[in-house]
């Protein structure tokens, strides 16, 4: 892996003594690089590397990921589910390295869509972005819906469908208001969310490990007799879903590429930091929670349906529990904020290339806040609509939300496969960050890991459960693909606009 020094079109040093402050030279080089890629930008390029990393971290959100699915993973596979946070982190690091190499050469806002467009072509990019976009919108609804019960507990209310739906809508509105205020506020809220979450993870995790342990490390190898079909392996594979839900978000660093100075060099580093720091925090929180469980059998038997609350109340009392809930609330809101920012930049990128209905509207950048306001509003309205449906169709909404993680992974692998296709055509990555002679190997491992993860996610687990419990991800994913393919074939949106496409390998010559 190589990271070359700054060069024309790839960025320039920042002002000495003012770390993270872009100079005129840096901004001019960024603008020149973007023009060479076929675009001009009206975004406010003021997001520092730390703020860019914070955006990815709050999207990945170890607190949201661990707290949301801790009970599910523990019941499915017992304490050994902890090891998936290490294994999935390693697998996603290979994917992250491929993404970093692509964005280093193509630092264009919108993420997977514009990157896939340059690697393979317009049709491939349109479908990758379509799947990624719907997965993002569903994820925003999932985070808001998942965070609502924690807010209700913090306020002392009993969660009901009406109350949790109202809270979820409030979280989406709050995220939208912050996002439309501009890049600077987005960056500051992401930094605040990162600070709260990392301090919360270290303080809570450290406290539980030091003062509230009920088990030693050997419990991480104890399956407690859990079996599926006479074997532990299916149960262990099922417990991987929690870690898979946690380990994405690093791509958000690249979704705001045109808002980050020296993006070709900064963003690959920020992506890797998201995996390192986010994964480390998730492992710490998960380990601390497992070792602090006062009654393992009550959780595994289903008697204790909210083990996180039980653990925290037992270890820290009611006051400490509510203090942790406040941190969790910040984590959920900042996670929704970061996801919405990513979704809006994707929609903007589609619109800028005239690839979607309403392009003239969604491609507008506010002259005051320098963000795509219309795209942001749409990235709030659709998740709000999904969350609102929960009042009448809870099972249907649960089925739709189950698509979130699988859809993200499917879109990721379309980019990873796109990078392999481009390499086969002769693409030699030309950004400041490259994988060098390891490119083919790392790219191939990333694809193998991603496809395996998708199979594990969508595999039906319980034949006796309702169909939406076993096939919800498959059915929803198929529906998204069929709708996208139909729109693409009938409307031919890929034929609009003149933005460059499929030229990665020709740029290497």
């Amino acid at each position: 892996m190589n990271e070359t020094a700054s060069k024309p079109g790839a960025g320039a040093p920042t002002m000495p003594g003012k770390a993270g402050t872009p100079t005129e030279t840096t901004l001019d080089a960024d603008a020149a690089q973007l023009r060479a890629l076929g675009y001009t930008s009206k975004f406010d390029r003021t997001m520092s590397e730390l703020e860019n990393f914070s955006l990815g971290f709050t999207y990945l959100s170890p607190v949201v990921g661990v707290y949301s699915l801790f009970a599910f993973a523990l019941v499915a596979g017992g304490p050994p589910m902890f090891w998936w946070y290490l294994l999935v982190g390693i697998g996603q690091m290979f994917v992250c390295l491929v993404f970093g190499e692509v964005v280093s050469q193509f630092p264009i806002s919108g993420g997977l869509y514009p990157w896939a467009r340059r690697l393979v072509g317009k049709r491939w990019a349109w479908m990758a972005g379509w799947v990624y976009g719907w997965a993002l919108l569903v994820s925003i609804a999932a985070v808001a819906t998942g965070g609502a019960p924690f807010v209700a507990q913090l306020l002392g209310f009993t969660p009901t469908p009406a109350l949790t739906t109202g809270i979820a809508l409030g979280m989406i509105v709050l995220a939208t208001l912050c996002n439309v205020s501009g890049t600077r506020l987005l960056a500051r809220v992401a930094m605040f969310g990162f600070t709260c979450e990392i301090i919360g993870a270290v303080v809570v995790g450290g406290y539980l490990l030091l003062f509230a342990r009920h088990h030693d490390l050997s419990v991480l190898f104890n399956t407690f007799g859990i079996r599926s079909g006479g074997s532990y392996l299916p149960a262990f594979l099922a417990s991987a879903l929690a870690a898979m839900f946690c380990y994405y978000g690093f791509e958000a660093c690249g979704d705001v590429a045109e808002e980050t100075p020296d993006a070709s060099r900064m963003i690959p580093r920020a992506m890797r930091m998201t995996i390192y720091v986010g994964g480390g925090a998730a492992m710490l929180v998960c380990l601390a929670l497992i070792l602090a469980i006062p009654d393992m059998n009550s959780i595994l038997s289903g008697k204790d349906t909210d083990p996180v609350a039980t653990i925290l109340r037992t270890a820290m009392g009611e006051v400490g529990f509510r203090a942790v809930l406040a941190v969790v609330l910040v984590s959920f809101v900042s996670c929704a904020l970061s996801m919405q920012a990513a979704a809006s930049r994707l929609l903007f990128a589609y619109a800028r290339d005239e690839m979607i209905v309403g392009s003239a509207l969604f491609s507008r950048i506010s002259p005051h806040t320098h963000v795509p306001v219309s795209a942001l509003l749409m990235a709030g309205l659709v998740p709000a609509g999904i969350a609102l449906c929960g009042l009448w169709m809870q099972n249907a909404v649960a089925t739709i939300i189950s698509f979130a993680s699988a859809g993200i992974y499917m879109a990721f692998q379309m980019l990873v496969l796109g990078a392999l296709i481009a390499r086969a055509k002769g693409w030699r990555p030309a950004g400041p960050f490259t994988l060098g002679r390891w490119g083919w190997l790392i790219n191939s491992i990333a694809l193998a890991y991603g496809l395996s993860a998708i199979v594990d996610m969508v595999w039906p687990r319980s034949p006796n459960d309702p169909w939406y419990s076993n096939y919800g991800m498959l059915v929803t994913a198929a529906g998204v693909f069929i709708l996208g393919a139909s729109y693409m074939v009938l409307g031919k949106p890929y034929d609009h606009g003149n933005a460059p496409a499929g030229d990665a390998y020709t740029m290497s010559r």
Side-chain angles (χ1 to χ4, degrees), residues 19 93 107 141 302 337 364 444 483 486:
M93 178 55 74
L337 180 87
R364 291 177 188 165
S444 300
L483 285 174
S486 300

Side-chain angles (χ1 to χ4, degrees), residues 66 70 73-74 78-83 85 208-209 212-222 224 283-296 299 311:
V66 175
F70 180 76
L74 194 64
M81 66 87 169
F82 165 80
W83 297 109
Y85 284 94
L208 293 178
L209 288 173
R213 285 180 57 176
H214 290 269
H215 307 276
D216 58 32
L217 292 176
S218 65
V219 76
L220 300 178
F221 301 93
N222 189 342
F224 286 86
M283 291 181 69
L284 173 63
V285 172
C286 183
L287 175 65
L289 288 173
I290 290 173
L291 298 187
I293 293 173
D295 186 353
M296 186 72 71
I299 298 173
I311 293 165

Side-chain angles (χ1 to χ4, degrees), residues 353-505:
D353 290 348
E354 301 179 37
M355 296 277 277
I356 197 168
V357 173
S359 291
L361 177 65
F362 296 126
S363 62
R364 291 177 188 165
I365 299 289
S366 168
H368 306 293
T369 61
H370 303 286
V371 292
V373 173
S374 298
L376 279 165
L377 293 176
M378 182 59 66
L381 287 172
V382 174
I386 295 172
L388 190 60
C389 289
L391 284 174
W392 303 281
M393 301 178 294
Q394 291 187 37
N395 289 338
V397 171
T399 301
I400 292 170
I401 285 176
S402 71
F403 163 72
S405 297
I408 293 285
Y409 272 69
M410 290 172 185
F412 276 21
Q413 293 315 303
M414 289 188 73
L415 184 71
V416 171
L417 179 57
L420 276 177
I421 292 172
R423 288 182 200 279
K425 290 181 176 179
W427 174 52
R428 292 189 297 276
F433 173 76
T434 69
L435 300 175
R437 61 193 178 93
W438 298 101
W440 270 100
L441 177 62
I442 291 173
N443 205 154
S444 300
I445 293 174
L447 182 65
Y449 157 75
L451 294 177
S452 300
I454 292 169
V455 170
D456 190 19
M457 280 189 205
V458 304
W459 196 264
R461 308 284 181 189
S462 306
N464 296 325
D465 287 348
W467 70 268
Y468 48 79
S469 296
N470 283 296
Y471 303 101
M473 286 188 185
L474 276 173
V475 171
T476 313
V480 170
F481 271 101
I482 291 171
L483 285 174
S486 300
Y487 181 18
M488 190 171 66
V489 171
L490 298 175
K492 293 184 171 54
Y494 54 82
D495 275 345
H496 303 159
N498 299 307
D503 59 346
Y505 72 97

Side-chain angles (χ1 to χ4, degrees), residues 4 21 35 126 165 174 179 184 227 298 351 390 463 485 488 490:
T4 62
T21 303
R35 283 195 299 271
W126 196 93
T165 299
L174 178 60
N179 261 313
R184 289 308 305 144
R227 294 290 184 273
S298 68
M488 190 171 66
L490 298 175

